[in-house]
């Protein structure tokens, strides 16, 4: 059980790091940082209640 949780956490952190790099490059090339930040914040706001719903 501990291994699977650690593996999953590592996978998610690696995926988050890759996404940050990829979307950071897009942001730098397009010059549309504000709209990408707003989109990311909206996505985070929408997903948090769904994650909490699954946990409980």
């Amino acid at each position: 059980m501990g291994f699977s949780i650690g593996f999953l956490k590592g996978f998610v952190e690696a995926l988050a790091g890759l996404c940050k790099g990829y979307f950071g490059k897009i942001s730098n090339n397009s010059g549309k940082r504000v709209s990408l930040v707003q989109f990311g914040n909206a996505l985070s706001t929408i997903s948090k209640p769904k994650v909490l719903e699954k946990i409980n």
Side-chain angles (χ1 to χ4, degrees):
M1 174 98 173
F3 172 77
S4 61
I5 291 173
F7 179 78
L8 183 61
K9 184 176 178 184
F11 176 76
V12 169
E13 288 182 11
L15 184 62
L18 290 172
C19 287
K20 284 180 186 179
Y22 176 74
F23 288 110
K25 185 174 181 178
I26 289 175
S27 171
N28 288 339
N29 290 340
S30 70
K32 297 181 179 181
R33 288 192 178 109
V34 173
S35 60
L36 288 173
V37 169
Q38 289 173 342
F39 176 73
N41 287 338
L43 200 61
S44 174
T45 301
I46 291 168
S47 67
K48 281 182 184 176
K50 297 196 181 291
V51 169
L52 291 175
E53 183 179 290
K54 296 282 183 183
I55 292 173
N56 293 328

